[in-house]
Amino acid sequence: MLQPILFLVVGAIVGVLLLVWLIGLIRKVGGCFIHLALAAAGLILLLYVGWLLFQKLVAG
């Protein structure tokens, strides 16, 4: 029973850290198109992996 809660806590911490990193990256590059495109691709990948992990958590 503790494992799903721990999984969610760790996932939330990693998600917040990645969000802070992404915001810092966008502010640092000042809108450079290639960096924004790479950040968007990373965000899409993060959402996809998060969705897969969420499905695994819900399924059992």
Side-chain angles (χ1 to χ4, degrees), residues 34-54:
I34 189 67
H35 288 97
L36 290 176
L38 289 172
L43 185 60
I44 291 169
L45 180 62
L46 176 68
L47 290 173
Y48 176 70
V49 170
W51 176 248
L52 290 178
L53 292 174
F54 177 73

Side-chain angles (χ1 to χ4, degrees), residues 1 4 6 16 22 27 30 34 41 43 46 49-50 53 57:
M1 178 161 172
L6 182 64
V16 167
L22 183 64
R27 291 185 67 177
I34 189 67
L43 185 60
L46 176 68
V49 170
L53 292 174
L57 181 67

Side-chain angles (χ1 to χ4, degrees), residues 5-33:
I5 295 172
L6 182 64
F7 178 74
L8 287 175
V9 169
V10 171
I13 291 170
V14 170
V16 167
L17 289 173
L18 285 173
L19 183 63
V20 168
W21 172 79
L22 183 64
I23 291 170
L25 178 69
I26 290 172
R27 291 185 67 177
K28 180 180 178 183
V29 298
C32 179
F33 180 72

